[in-house]
C-alpha cells in the first residue's frame, strides 16, 4: 500500500514536468525561427480572422484556415539595398481548385525574380505560401512554416534576393 501511495505521489510530481517539455513540433519551430533570426529575418504570427488584409482571403479560400501562418520579413538597414518596386501578391484557389497568384493591383509591375518565383510556386501548386510583399524598406513572405532549417535558410536567401530586385 505504501508503494502505491509513493507511485501516485511521484506521478503527481513528474506528470506536470513531462507535460511542460516542448513537443517535437515546437522544437522544430524554435529551430527554424532561430535560423531566421540569425539571418536578420523577423517572424510574426498572422491571424487570418483578425488581419484586415488577409481576412478576405479566408472568406474566399476556407482551405487556408487549417494552417498557422507566419510573416517572415527582412527589413533593410540604413546602408542596405531595398526593393525598387513595391507590391503585394497573394495566392488563392480558383473555381477549379487550382492555386493561382494574383497581384493586389493589376497595374503593378513584377520584377523578374518575383515573376519567376510566382511561376514556380504556381507550377508546384504549393499551399505553403500565402502572400509575397515588397515594400520600400523590405520584403516579406507569409508561409505556414512547414519544413525545417534548410527550407528556412532558402526562404531567408530568397528574401535577400528580393531586397535587391
Amino acid at each position: 500500500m505504501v508503494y502505491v501511495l509513493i507511485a501516485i505521489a511521484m506521478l503527481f510530481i513528474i506528470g506536470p514536468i513531462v507535460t511542460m517539455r516542448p513537443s517535437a513540433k515546437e522544437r522544430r519551430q524554435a529551430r527554424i525561427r532561430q535560423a531566421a533570426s540569425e539571418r536578420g529575418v523577423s517572424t510574426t504570427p498572422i491571424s487570418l480572422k483578425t488581419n484586415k488584409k488577409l481576412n478576405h482571403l479566408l472568406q474566399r479560400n476556407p482551405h487556408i484556415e487549417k494552417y498557422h501562418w507566419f510573416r517572415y520579413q527582412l527589413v533593410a538597414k540604413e546602408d542596405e539595398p531595398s526593393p525598387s518596386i513595391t507590391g503585394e501578391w497573394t495566392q488563392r484557389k480558383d473555381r477549379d481548385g487550382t492555386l493561382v497568384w494574383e497581384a493586389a493591383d493589376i497595374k503593378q509591375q513584377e520584377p523578374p525574380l518575383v515573376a519567376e518565383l510566382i511561376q514556380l510556386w504556381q507550377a508546384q501548386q504549393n499551399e505553403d505560401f500565402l502572400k509575397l510583399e515588397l515594400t520600400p524598406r523590405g520584403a516579406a513572405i507569409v508561409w505556414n512554416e512547414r519544413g525545417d532549417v534548410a527550407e528556412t535558410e532558402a526562404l531567408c536567401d530568397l528574401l535577400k534576393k528580393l531586397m535587391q530586385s
Side-chain angles (χ1 to χ4, degrees), residues 16 26 52 67 115 133 153:
E26 291 169 335
K52 291 180 182 178
Y67 299 114
E133 303 168 340
E153 290 171 346

Side-chain angles (χ1 to χ4, degrees), residues 20-96:
M20 289 175 47
R21 292 186 57 207
S23 67
K25 179 181 178 183
E26 291 169 335
R27 287 191 302 269
R28 181 187 59 79
Q29 286 178 329
R31 277 193 315 269
I32 64 176
R33 290 177 188 164
Q34 181 174 356
S37 178
E38 289 170 355
R39 287 163 179 74
V41 175
S42 64
T43 60
T44 310
I46 302 285
S47 170
L48 297 180
K49 291 181 180 177
T50 59
N51 186 304
K52 291 180 182 178
K53 287 186 175 183
L54 296 175
N55 187 289
H56 73 282
L57 284 176
L58 181 60
Q59 294 172 4
R60 292 186 340 202
N61 301 284
H63 72 282
I64 63 176
E65 190 172 20
K66 65 182 176 185
Y67 299 114
H68 295 279
W69 297 98
F70 297 85
R71 175 179 281 118
Y72 276 57
Q73 184 172 20
L74 184 61
V75 177
K77 295 184 176 102
E78 260 332 289
D79 56 343
E80 293 180 337
S82 59
S84 59
I85 295 176
T86 62
E88 294 180 9
W89 296 265
T90 54
Q91 179 177 243
R92 66 174 180 81
K93 277 190 179 178
D94 65 6
R95 291 181 181 190
D96 300 330

